[in-house]
Amino acid sequence: TLKEDTSLFLHRILFAEWPVFNEASTGCRRALSSLVERHGFTPGDYIVHEEDCVDAVYFLVRGHVKILKDGDVIGILTMGDTFGEKWWPTAASGKAKRGRPSDDIRRD
């Protein structure tokens, strides 16, 4: 459908950049693209707060986010990194990362 084709086009960077999607068929990507939600965050926005129940996977397509513990930066995620409830490191990049449930993740 036109809606699925449009969604697939809008999420083409996501499907092209993350190795986990390399072997997915076009039909699979089309189905997944209709489930993807795009979010934009501005500097200072908290994406995940300490002790939040996170039930999504976040793919960082642009920019960077900081992982904070008691207000101190303990890590920085950049384009190509993922975080959230379920994640998977890839053999190609090994870049998947995860903030612990006791960490804040903030866009800076």
Side-chain angles (χ1 to χ4, degrees):
T1 68
L2 180 58
K3 181 178 179 180
E4 289 172 331
D5 289 341
T6 302
S7 184
L8 186 59
F9 176 78
L10 290 172
H11 299 105
R12 69 191 179 283
I13 294 172
L14 172 68
F15 294 126
E17 296 293 324
W18 275 268
V20 71
F21 298 115
N22 283 348
E23 304 215 7
S25 68
T26 301
C28 180
R29 290 179 191 184
R30 180 174 279 119
L32 286 171
S33 69
S34 65
L35 301 173
V36 173
E37 295 178 14
R38 295 175 69 110
H39 298 279
F41 299 96
T42 58
D45 286 351
Y46 282 85
I47 301 168
V48 177
H49 290 278
E50 184 175 341
E51 303 303 324
D52 279 355
C53 179
V54 179
D55 62 355
V57 176
Y58 293 84
F59 294 87
L60 192 53
V61 176
R62 197 175 0 202
H64 68 275
V65 296
K66 293 180 179 177
I67 301 174
L68 306 173
K69 176 72 173 178
D70 299 324
D72 296 324
V73 176
I74 61 169
I76 297 176
L77 305 179
T78 60
M79 181 179 160
D81 290 334
T82 61
F83 63 94
E85 175 60 26
K86 297 177 182 168
W87 63 276
W88 50 89
T90 62
S93 71
K95 286 191 71 177
K97 297 178 180 158
R98 178 179 176 177
R100 295 183 308 272
S102 61
D103 300 335
D104 289 326
I105 299 180
R106 183 180 79 191
R107 166 74 165 93
D108 264 348

PDB file of all heavy atoms in Angstrom, residues 34-51:
ATOM      1  N   SER A  34       5.879  -0.071   9.577  1.00  0.00           N
ATOM      2  CA  SER A  34       4.596   0.473  10.036  1.00  0.00           C
ATOM      3  C   SER A  34       4.500   0.466  11.564  1.00  0.00           C
ATOM      4  O   SER A  34       3.636   1.133  12.129  1.00  0.00           O
ATOM      5  CB  SER A  34       3.434  -0.315   9.422  1.00  0.00           C
ATOM      6  OG  SER A  34       3.438  -1.642   9.892  1.00  0.00           O
ATOM      7  N   LEU A  35       5.402  -0.254  12.226  1.00  0.00           N
ATOM      8  CA  LEU A  35       5.406  -0.308  13.690  1.00  0.00           C
ATOM      9  C   LEU A  35       6.381   0.675  14.325  1.00  0.00           C
ATOM     10  O   LEU A  35       6.309   0.942  15.519  1.00  0.00           O
ATOM     11  CB  LEU A  35       5.759  -1.725  14.156  1.00  0.00           C
ATOM     12  CG  LEU A  35       4.834  -2.840  13.676  1.00  0.00           C
ATOM     13  CD1 LEU A  35       5.400  -4.191  14.080  1.00  0.00           C
ATOM     14  CD2 LEU A  35       3.435  -2.653  14.226  1.00  0.00           C
ATOM     15  N   VAL A  36       7.293   1.206  13.531  1.00  0.00           N
ATOM     16  CA  VAL A  36       8.321   2.111  14.043  1.00  0.00           C
ATOM     17  C   VAL A  36       7.711   3.479  14.336  1.00  0.00           C
ATOM     18  O   VAL A  36       6.948   4.019  13.552  1.00  0.00           O
ATOM     19  CB  VAL A  36       9.474   2.254  13.020  1.00  0.00           C
ATOM     20  CG1 VAL A  36      10.462   3.321  13.464  1.00  0.00           C
ATOM     21  CG2 VAL A  36      10.170   0.919  12.821  1.00  0.00           C
ATOM     22  N   GLU A  37       8.077   4.013  15.496  1.00  0.00           N
ATOM     23  CA  GLU A  37       7.660   5.366  15.863  1.00  0.00           C
ATOM     24  C   GLU A  37       8.899   6.246  15.885  1.00  0.00           C
ATOM     25  O   GLU A  37       9.902   5.890  16.490  1.00  0.00           O
ATOM     26  CB  GLU A  37       7.006   5.378  17.243  1.00  0.00           C
ATOM     27  CG  GLU A  37       5.724   4.609  17.326  1.00  0.00           C
ATOM     28  CD  GLU A  37       5.145   4.620  18.735  1.00  0.00           C
ATOM     29  OE1 GLU A  37       5.585   5.426  19.575  1.00  0.00           O
ATOM     30  OE2 GLU A  37       4.257   3.788  18.988  1.00  0.00           O
ATOM     31  N   ARG A  38       8.816   7.397  15.241  1.00  0.00           N
ATOM     32  CA  ARG A  38       9.926   8.340  15.225  1.00  0.00           C
ATOM     33  C   ARG A  38       9.716   9.362  16.334  1.00  0.00           C
ATOM     34  O   ARG A  38       8.615   9.845  16.543  1.00  0.00           O
ATOM     35  CB  ARG A  38       9.990   9.054  13.888  1.00  0.00           C
ATOM     36  CG  ARG A  38      10.304   8.136  12.731  1.00  0.00           C
ATOM     37  CD  ARG A  38      10.236   8.884  11.425  1.00  0.00           C
ATOM     38  NE  ARG A  38      11.311   9.834  11.317  1.00  0.00           N
ATOM     39  CZ  ARG A  38      12.338   9.720  10.480  1.00  0.00           C
ATOM     40  NH1 ARG A  38      12.400   8.686   9.675  1.00  0.00           N
ATOM     41  NH2 ARG A  38      13.278  10.623  10.448  1.00  0.00           N
ATOM     42  N   HIS A  39      10.798   9.658  17.052  1.00  0.00           N
ATOM     43  CA  HIS A  39      10.744  10.659  18.117  1.00  0.00           C
ATOM     44  C   HIS A  39      11.931  11.591  17.961  1.00  0.00           C
ATOM     45  O   HIS A  39      13.033  11.149  17.643  1.00  0.00           O
ATOM     46  CB  HIS A  39      10.808  10.007  19.497  1.00  0.00           C
ATOM     47  CG  HIS A  39       9.674   9.087  19.780  1.00  0.00           C
ATOM     48  ND1 HIS A  39       8.441   9.529  20.185  1.00  0.00           N
ATOM     49  CD2 HIS A  39       9.572   7.742  19.701  1.00  0.00           C
ATOM     50  CE1 HIS A  39       7.634   8.502  20.349  1.00  0.00           C
ATOM     51  NE2 HIS A  39       8.299   7.397  20.056  1.00  0.00           N
ATOM     52  N   GLY A  40      11.698  12.840  18.204  1.00  0.00           N
ATOM     53  CA  GLY A  40      12.775  13.820  18.217  1.00  0.00           C
ATOM     54  C   GLY A  40      12.904  14.388  19.621  1.00  0.00           C
ATOM     55  O   GLY A  40      11.901  14.625  20.287  1.00  0.00           O
ATOM     56  N   PHE A  41      14.116  14.556  20.057  1.00  0.00           N
ATOM     57  CA  PHE A  41      14.361  15.086  21.387  1.00  0.00           C
ATOM     58  C   PHE A  41      15.280  16.289  21.272  1.00  0.00           C
ATOM     59  O   PHE A  41      16.171  16.324  20.429  1.00  0.00           O
ATOM     60  CB  PHE A  41      15.001  14.023  22.286  1.00  0.00           C
ATOM     61  CG  PHE A  41      14.133  12.810  22.475  1.00  0.00           C
ATOM     62  CD1 PHE A  41      14.305  11.685  21.678  1.00  0.00           C
ATOM     63  CD2 PHE A  41      13.136  12.804  23.433  1.00  0.00           C
ATOM     64  CE1 PHE A  41      13.504  10.570  21.848  1.00  0.00           C
ATOM     65  CE2 PHE A  41      12.328  11.695  23.605  1.00  0.00           C
ATOM     66  CZ  PHE A  41      12.503  10.573  22.811  1.00  0.00           C
ATOM     67  N   THR A  42      15.082  17.257  22.126  1.00  0.00           N
ATOM     68  CA  THR A  42      15.931  18.447  22.124  1.00  0.00           C
ATOM     69  C   THR A  42      16.927  18.349  23.275  1.00  0.00           C
ATOM     70  O   THR A  42      16.718  17.595  24.229  1.00  0.00           O
ATOM     71  CB  THR A  42      15.082  19.731  22.264  1.00  0.00           C
ATOM     72  OG1 THR A  42      14.322  19.650  23.469  1.00  0.00           O
ATOM     73  CG2 THR A  42      14.134  19.893  21.091  1.00  0.00           C
ATOM     74  N   PRO A  43      18.019  19.112  23.198  1.00  0.00           N
ATOM     75  CA  PRO A  43      19.016  19.064  24.264  1.00  0.00           C
ATOM     76  C   PRO A  43      18.381  19.292  25.636  1.00  0.00           C
ATOM     77  O   PRO A  43      17.554  20.177  25.817  1.00  0.00           O
ATOM     78  CB  PRO A  43      19.977  20.200  23.905  1.00  0.00           C
ATOM     79  CG  PRO A  43      19.897  20.256  22.409  1.00  0.00           C
ATOM     80  CD  PRO A  43      18.444  19.991  22.102  1.00  0.00           C
ATOM     81  N   GLY A  44      18.756  18.445  26.589  1.00  0.00           N
ATOM     82  CA  GLY A  44      18.234  18.535  27.942  1.00  0.00           C
ATOM     83  C   GLY A  44      17.043  17.631  28.210  1.00  0.00           C
ATOM     84  O   GLY A  44      16.671  17.413  29.359  1.00  0.00           O
ATOM     85  N   ASP A  45      16.409  17.096  27.153  1.00  0.00           N
ATOM     86  CA  ASP A  45      15.274  16.182  27.331  1.00  0.00           C
ATOM     87  C   ASP A  45      15.750  14.855  27.904  1.00  0.00           C
ATOM     88  O   ASP A  45      16.754  14.303  27.460  1.00  0.00           O
ATOM     89  CB  ASP A  45      14.578  15.880  25.997  1.00  0.00           C
ATOM     90  CG  ASP A  45      13.744  17.018  25.473  1.00  0.00           C
ATOM     91  OD1 ASP A  45      13.543  18.001  26.207  1.00  0.00           O
ATOM     92  OD2 ASP A  45      13.280  16.912  24.317  1.00  0.00           O
ATOM     93  N   TYR A  46      15.022  14.355  28.882  1.00  0.00           N
ATOM     94  CA  TYR A  46      15.281  13.014  29.388  1.00  0.00           C
ATOM     95  C   TYR A  46      14.447  12.032  28.580  1.00  0.00           C
ATOM     96  O   TYR A  46      13.242  12.194  28.445  1.00  0.00           O
ATOM     97  CB  TYR A  46      14.941  12.901  30.876  1.00  0.00           C
ATOM     98  CG  TYR A  46      16.003  13.491  31.763  1.00  0.00           C
ATOM     99  CD1 TYR A  46      16.018  14.844  32.056  1.00  0.00           C
ATOM    100  CD2 TYR A  46      17.012  12.689  32.282  1.00  0.00           C
ATOM    101  CE1 TYR A  46      17.006  15.392  32.858  1.00  0.00           C
ATOM    102  CE2 TYR A  46      18.011  13.224  33.084  1.00  0.00           C
ATOM    103  CZ  TYR A  46      17.991  14.578  33.366  1.00  0.00           C
ATOM    104  OH  TYR A  46      18.977  15.113  34.149  1.00  0.00           O
ATOM    105  N   ILE A  47      15.094  11.022  28.034  1.00  0.00           N
ATOM    106  CA  ILE A  47      14.416  10.008  27.232  1.00  0.00           C
ATOM    107  C   ILE A  47      13.939   8.884  28.140  1.00  0.00           C
ATOM    108  O   ILE A  47      12.823   8.415  28.039  1.00  0.00           O
ATOM    109  CB  ILE A  47      15.357   9.475  26.131  1.00  0.00           C
ATOM    110  CG1 ILE A  47      15.803  10.634  25.240  1.00  0.00           C
ATOM    111  CG2 ILE A  47      14.672   8.381  25.322  1.00  0.00           C
ATOM    112  CD1 ILE A  47      16.941  10.289  24.309  1.00  0.00           C
ATOM    113  N   VAL A  48      14.803   8.463  29.034  1.00  0.00           N
ATOM    114  CA  VAL A  48      14.484   7.430  30.002  1.00  0.00           C
ATOM    115  C   VAL A  48      14.979   7.917  31.358  1.00  0.00           C
ATOM    116  O   VAL A  48      16.118   8.356  31.489  1.00  0.00           O
ATOM    117  CB  VAL A  48      15.185   6.085  29.653  1.00  0.00           C
ATOM    118  CG1 VAL A  48      14.889   5.040  30.708  1.00  0.00           C
ATOM    119  CG2 VAL A  48      14.754   5.595  28.280  1.00  0.00           C
ATOM    120  N   HIS A  49      14.111   7.854  32.356  1.00  0.00           N
ATOM    121  CA  HIS A  49      14.498   8.231  33.711  1.00  0.00           C
ATOM    122  C   HIS A  49      14.861   6.990  34.513  1.00  0.00           C
ATOM    123  O   HIS A  49      14.407   5.887  34.219  1.00  0.00           O
ATOM    124  CB  HIS A  49      13.349   8.955  34.424  1.00  0.00           C
ATOM    125  CG  HIS A  49      13.076  10.311  33.885  1.00  0.00           C
ATOM    126  ND1 HIS A  49      13.801  11.411  34.242  1.00  0.00           N
ATOM    127  CD2 HIS A  49      12.146  10.741  32.999  1.00  0.00           C
ATOM    128  CE1 HIS A  49      13.334  12.465  33.613  1.00  0.00           C
ATOM    129  NE2 HIS A  49      12.333  12.085  32.844  1.00  0.00           N
ATOM    130  N   GLU A  50      15.648   7.234  35.541  1.00  0.00           N
ATOM    131  CA  GLU A  50      16.025   6.158  36.445  1.00  0.00           C
ATOM    132  C   GLU A  50      14.779   5.416  36.915  1.00  0.00           C
ATOM    133  O   GLU A  50      13.777   6.024  37.255  1.00  0.00           O
ATOM    134  CB  GLU A  50      16.760   6.762  37.644  1.00  0.00           C
ATOM    135  CG  GLU A  50      17.298   5.765  38.609  1.00  0.00           C
ATOM    136  CD  GLU A  50      18.112   6.430  39.702  1.00  0.00           C
ATOM    137  OE1 GLU A  50      18.545   7.581  39.535  1.00  0.00           O
ATOM    138  OE2 GLU A  50      18.301   5.778  40.731  1.00  0.00           O
ATOM    139  N   GLU A  51      14.847   4.099  36.867  1.00  0.00           N
ATOM    140  CA  GLU A  51      13.783   3.199  37.323  1.00  0.00           C
ATOM    141  C   GLU A  51      12.546   3.178  36.425  1.00  0.00           C
ATOM    142  O   GLU A  51      11.531   2.595  36.788  1.00  0.00           O
ATOM    143  CB  GLU A  51      13.375   3.509  38.765  1.00  0.00           C
ATOM    144  CG  GLU A  51      14.507   3.438  39.769  1.00  0.00           C
ATOM    145  CD  GLU A  51      15.224   2.096  39.802  1.00  0.00           C
ATOM    146  OE1 GLU A  51      14.585   1.044  39.627  1.00  0.00           O
ATOM    147  OE2 GLU A  51      16.446   2.113  40.004  1.00  0.00           O
TER     148      GLU A  51
END
